Amino acid sequence: MVRVSERINFLRDEIRRHNKLYYAQDQPEISDSEYDALYAELKKLEKENSSLITSDSPTRRVGGEAMPSFKSIRHKTPMLSLENTYSGDDIKTWIERNRKLVSGGGVSFVVEPKIDGIGISLTYEKGVLILGATRGDGVTGDDVTSNIKTIKSIPLVLSGNFPEYLEVRGEVYMSRSSFSALNDERTRAGEALFANPRNAAAGTMKLLDPAKAAERNLDCFIYQAGVIAPKTSLKTHWEMLEYFKTLGLRVNSNIRKFDSISGMLKFFEEFANKREALDYEVDGLVIKINEIELYDVLGSTLKAPRWACAYKFPAVQASSVLQSVDMQVGRTGVVTPVANLKPVHLGGVVIKRATLHNFDEIARLGLKIHDSVWVERRGEVIPKVTGVIVSKRTGQEEEIVEPEICPACGSVLYKDDENVRIVCTNSFCPAQLERGVAHFASRKAMDIEGLGEKAVQALLVNSMIKDVSDIYALTEKELLLLPLFKEKKAAKLLEGIDKSRNRPLSKFLFAMGIPFSGEKVCRLVSRHFGSLEKIMSADESAFEEIEGLGDVRAKAIARYFSLPGTKTILAKMKLRRVAPESDSAPVSDKLAGKIFVFTGKSPMPREKAQELVMAMGGKTSGSVSEKTDFVVAGDKSGAKYKTALKLGVNVIDFEEFLKMTKEN
Ligand SMILES: [Zn+2]
């Protein structure tokens, strides 16, 4: 018995401590599900050992605690919490139980998104907002009227046919976009980040300066009537919500009404998929019985009403510990830091690794090895580390050091100017080769039929290719040495390889996996230069001239083409008759040799106009220089226009430009 009582005391102390961290300081150290587990264990032990129950146990309380800095408000009727359910079966049980209690009468249901914010109560007298209070412990809350009044979606005065006295309940929340803006701001100011929008909303409600609260951009949805005087004749909750809207109260637009369980469960599924696209966090759905007259029949338990329950979605956030950081080399050589975490259960899976994106992100988070961290996993995406739990630091944390050499090949890494990405530019880096070859052969790149993942692996394992140019030296005899290839298959692959020799230049560039260069960038480069030879002899300034490329990318691409490894591969390619064709061969030479610069508004997409110039043998550039022949100006302003005047370059408008392309 001693051990059970010790455990119970420990759990009570822990829960109280976490309550304080959560409610008073908005700096939780554990996730909701971890908290729920502690709570559930305590509840179970108390149930099994009823002699050990005390009236001050956290399980006897309704919810959090009201904070001392605001005036305490006693709610006219308690703001109860909701019973939680976690599965369709739980809900079926809940519904059956209620049906029995109301002796099988007609029951319908209203389903509402459970916004992850903080519960509030609003009181209107003669249509004027006189009180805004937090839920607090459910019995007493804080008077936060001054902060409530800063929330634009809460009307200060009701419209329509409002009652003499109205108390409504709702959820104050912070949108995801406001939340990330706030945390960015705090990063810049060197302040601790909020773990999630709910903590940020709670923290904002506790600000003593309403002007500061107003900057935080909170929002609110109303979902329940508290006290209405005189009593209304409305029969259903659904009608009540409709009535709220006529008063100017904001009601969530994703609320639905159901007569059957099956329709309801289908909606659950639909909504679970949809919720990540919303600009606010939804951690579940609330199911309420629609018929208000049944509320009195059903009544409530000590903590929760029987006529409503919450269906909780699997958790998306958990706390863990960063044990170490791996450096992963991607196909294009970009080195990505990956977190190795203390394994943690989250949304039904065990999370051990999470992406850290890049070193900028590590700096933004202020992350160190051995830090306690927040981990999030939404939908099917890769888990990510979203924050550091600074209060858990012991002083033993270690800085995460940026690597200087490639973990896969040992060559010196290259850091781009913005310091965000670290790249291995060794064209023979083994970490990049397998994925690099597969990418090279893929449809959007060289489109080599027959060179799938398995074939690539077989060729690499048998050292038949050491870089992508070796693909073009493969022979039938060699291929037939591999069990994977029979005559027909080998012939098909060789045919596919041969066909790819004259792929469009933009596809070839994309295939090469140039750092920071997706399809669009490759098209820009290809169009600008027109041939591989010209690209190979271009210097950095030539790349900087390409409109829409940006200096950072221009530098990285120029560097890529200057590397000995790249030069070797391209020379081998040429030797092996790989000759990419210019993307769009000029259809005429009307603008041959002429260099155009576009600026200002354009009646056609800029890219289209550039294509037109190139189709007629001309060139386009992003900046005006002595070499420019024409500046096509959408309006007579801007730096390019002024430079053109200064240099005496011809300035024409779009009409003239179009005329030029049509003249014979
Ligand atoms: Zn490498």
Side-chain angles (χ1 to χ4, degrees):
M1 275 318 273
V2 174
R3 278 169 69 191
V4 172
S5 68
E6 266 174 18
R7 181 70 188 163
I8 286 180
N9 282 334
F10 167 79
L11 288 169
R12 284 176 185 161
D13 286 346
E14 267 304 275
I15 289 169
R16 283 192 196 106
R17 189 171 76 83
H18 288 303
N19 277 348
K20 198 163 159 238
L21 284 166
Y22 181 97
Y23 290 107
Q25 292 157 13
D26 306 309
Q27 295 291 347
E29 285 180 359
I30 56 174
S31 68
D32 289 0
S33 48
E34 288 164 297
Y35 177 88
D36 289 348
L38 291 178
Y39 194 90
E41 187 189 346
L42 176 59
K43 225 173 139 183
K44 182 169 164 274
L45 289 178
E46 285 181 346
K47 202 175 166 189
E48 290 163 359
N49 306 277
S50 55
S51 64
L52 295 174
I53 297 179
T54 58
S55 64
D56 67 344
S57 170
T59 57
R60 303 286 105 185
R61 300 185 64 88
V62 185
E65 279 174 56
M67 279 304 107
S69 42
F70 287 95
K71 205 172 86 190
S72 259
I73 292 295
R74 202 175 169 83
H75 298 300
K76 289 225 158 151
T77 57
M79 292 178 77
L80 299 171
S81 52
L82 293 172
E83 186 186 328
N84 286 332
T85 64
Y86 296 92
S87 69
D89 284 345
D90 285 355
I91 290 160
K92 279 180 194 158
T93 312
W94 177 80
I95 288 174
E96 273 155 32
R97 198 180 67 206
N98 279 326
R99 281 223 166 108
K100 257 179 227 154
L101 285 172
V102 300
S103 56
V107 182
S108 58
F109 305 92
V110 173
V111 176
E112 307 169 359
K114 190 171 177 299
I115 315 292
D116 202 7
I118 62 160
I120 49 116
S121 149
L122 304 177
T123 304
Y124 290 88
E125 247 175 41
K126 295 189 169 67
V128 177
L129 178 69
I130 56 150
L131 176 68
T134 60
R135 179 173 168 276
D137 64 5
V139 179
T140 50
D142 289 335
D143 177 348
V144 288
T145 312
S146 50
N147 285 343
I148 287 284
K149 281 183 171 171
T150 69
I151 300 172
K152 294 188 190 78
S153 45
I154 294 179
L156 300 180
V157 178
L158 295 177
S159 50
N161 186 19
F162 52 80
E164 186 71 17
Y165 182 95
L166 175 70
E167 191 248 315
V168 290
R169 277 101 194 252
E171 199 83 358
V172 163
Y173 68 94
M174 186 176 285
S175 69
R176 291 186 211 253
S177 41
S178 296
F179 171 71
S180 57
L182 173 63
N183 262 356
D184 283 353
E185 194 61 41
R186 291 176 77 88
T187 303
R188 249 170 275 140
E191 292 167 314
L193 303 186
F194 284 112
N196 52 48
R198 185 195 48 219
N199 290 130
T204 305
M205 270 296 115
K206 289 198 198 86
L207 290 173
L208 292 167
D209 180 0
K212 284 215 176 94
E215 287 169 12
R216 297 278 183 88
N217 233 343
L218 292 179
D219 245 313
C220 180
F221 285 120
I222 299 299
Y223 51 67
Q224 190 65 45
V227 180
I228 304 181
K231 274 201 161 169
T232 78
S233 56
L234 297 176
K235 290 267 185 293
T236 65
H237 179 59
W238 184 262
E239 287 168 337
M240 186 69 82
L241 294 175
E242 290 299 318
Y243 174 57
F244 285 169
K245 289 186 206 166
T246 68
L247 301 180
L249 294 167
R250 186 160 175 252
V251 174
N252 190 283
S253 61
N254 285 301
I255 297 179
R256 300 283 182 276
K257 190 170 67 175
F258 296 96
D259 295 320
S260 73
I261 303 178
S262 58
M264 197 155 84
L265 294 182
K266 216 175 126 203
F267 174 70
F268 283 17
E269 232 169 80
E270 275 169 31
F271 190 81
N273 293 327
K274 182 183 169 184
R275 67 178 170 133
E276 287 304 333
L278 300 170
D279 194 28
Y280 46 86
E281 301 256 347
V282 176
D283 61 344
L285 291 162
V286 177
I287 305 120
K288 290 176 184 168
I289 288 179
N290 193 21
E291 290 73 20
I292 294 174
E293 56 176 18
L294 295 179
Y295 290 11
D296 284 339
V297 180
L298 291 166
S300 17
T301 66
L302 181 65
K303 296 187 69 170
R306 286 202 185 84
W307 43 266
C309 75
Y311 168 73
K312 298 272 272 187
F313 292 132
V316 292
Q317 194 178 48
S319 65
S320 178
V321 174
L322 178 66
Q323 292 175 324
S324 62
V325 175
D326 279 348
M327 300 299 155
Q328 220 168 53
V329 190
R331 175 177 56 74
T332 58
V334 175
V335 178
T336 307
V338 177
N340 290 312
L341 302 165
K342 192 177 141 205
V344 56
H345 286 272
L346 180 56
V349 292
V350 177
I351 309 281
K352 287 185 210 146
R353 284 161 76 81
T355 177
L356 293 168
H357 301 295
N358 53 50
F359 279 86
D360 238 26
E361 176 73 358
I362 289 175
R364 189 185 76 85
L365 294 168
L367 187 62
K368 293 178 178 179
I369 291 170
H370 307 313
D371 258 337
S372 291
V373 294
W374 292 111
V375 189
E376 273 183 30
R377 179 175 177 270
R378 295 173 181 280
E380 292 307 308
V381 298
I382 307 162
K384 60 178 183 178
V385 172
T386 56
V388 175
I389 307 172
V390 179
S391 60
K392 277 199 176 176
R393 284 221 165 125
T394 62
Q396 302 297 305
E397 293 75 20
E398 294 161 26
E399 295 288 337
I400 299 167
V401 186
E402 286 185 25
E404 281 170 7
I405 57 166
C406 173
C409 71
S411 61
V412 176
L413 294 170
Y414 165 71
K415 217 152 74 174
D416 74 61
D417 280 1
E418 283 178 340
N419 213 0
V420 177
R421 291 192 268 198
I422 297 176
V423 192
C424 169
T425 45
N426 172 12
S427 311
F428 301 95
C429 176
Q432 301 169 52
L433 199 53
E434 185 176 327
R435 272 168 295 180
V437 175
H439 168 77
F440 184 85
S442 67
R443 191 116 50 90
K444 284 180 171 176
M446 294 304 264
D447 193 19
I448 301 176
E449 215 179 317
L451 196 51
E453 216 172 290
K454 270 194 193 146
V456 171
Q457 264 169 18
L459 293 172
L460 285 170
V461 165
N462 292 284
S463 301
M464 287 163 84
I465 50 175
K466 292 194 182 61
D467 65 64
V468 287
S469 73
D470 292 339
I471 293 170
Y472 295 95
L474 289 170
T475 62
E476 189 182 10
K477 217 165 122 189
E478 275 179 310
L479 288 177
L480 291 177
L481 293 174
L482 301 175
L484 188 67
F485 289 97
K486 298 277 169 293
E487 262 164 48
K488 212 169 146 192
K489 208 169 172 183
K492 204 175 143 204
L493 174 58
L494 289 172
E495 192 191 316
I497 291 171
D498 196 41
K499 265 209 289 204
S500 75
R501 282 194 160 88
N502 303 107
R503 282 285 277 172
L505 180 57
S506 61
K507 308 278 183 194
F508 176 79
L509 295 176
F510 179 60
M512 290 300 288
I514 303 164
F516 316 146
S517 301
E519 285 176 276
K520 200 179 153 206
V521 166
C522 291
R523 264 201 306 276
L524 284 177
V525 174
S526 156
R527 282 197 192 123
H528 184 83
F529 290 105
S531 78
L532 186 57
E533 284 67 31
K534 280 186 191 153
I535 293 174
M536 286 169 70
S537 60
D539 58 9
E540 200 176 298
S541 64
F543 284 101
E544 277 167 6
E545 261 177 41
I546 304 176
E547 197 179 352
L549 203 60
D551 286 356
V552 173
R553 225 186 242 117
K555 200 170 252 173
I557 297 174
R559 194 191 130 88
Y560 172 83
F561 282 103
S562 72
L563 290 172
T566 310
K567 287 186 169 158
T568 308
I569 292 179
L570 292 178
K572 277 161 76 184
M573 291 267 196
K574 199 177 171 189
L575 212 65
R576 290 161 181 172
R577 293 179 293 112
V578 179
E581 278 176 357
S582 115
D583 277 62
S584 41
V587 292
S588 81
D589 54 2
K590 213 173 284 172
L591 305 178
K594 299 277 185 269
I595 297 176
F596 286 76
V597 173
F598 291 91
T599 176
K601 277 190 208 123
S602 154
M604 65 167 80
R606 179 76 55 90
E607 211 173 304
K608 264 252 168 78
Q610 288 167 340
E611 257 173 57
L612 203 57
V613 171
M614 279 181 277
M616 299 191 169
K619 274 187 178 183
T620 63
S621 170
S623 58
V624 181
S625 72
E626 274 104 355
K627 284 188 248 166
T628 312
D629 292 291
F630 295 99
V631 169
V632 184
D635 40 53
K636 303 237 177 296
S637 61
K640 286 179 192 171
Y641 177 73
K642 281 173 196 150
T643 314
L645 288 188
K646 212 161 79 186
L647 295 176
V649 175
N650 280 320
V651 179
I652 58 174
D653 60 18
F654 254 91
E655 219 169 295
E656 285 171 84
F657 165 69
L658 289 176
K659 229 186 264 167
M660 276 172 87
T661 63
K662 277 171 195 148
E663 272 165 14
N664 283 318

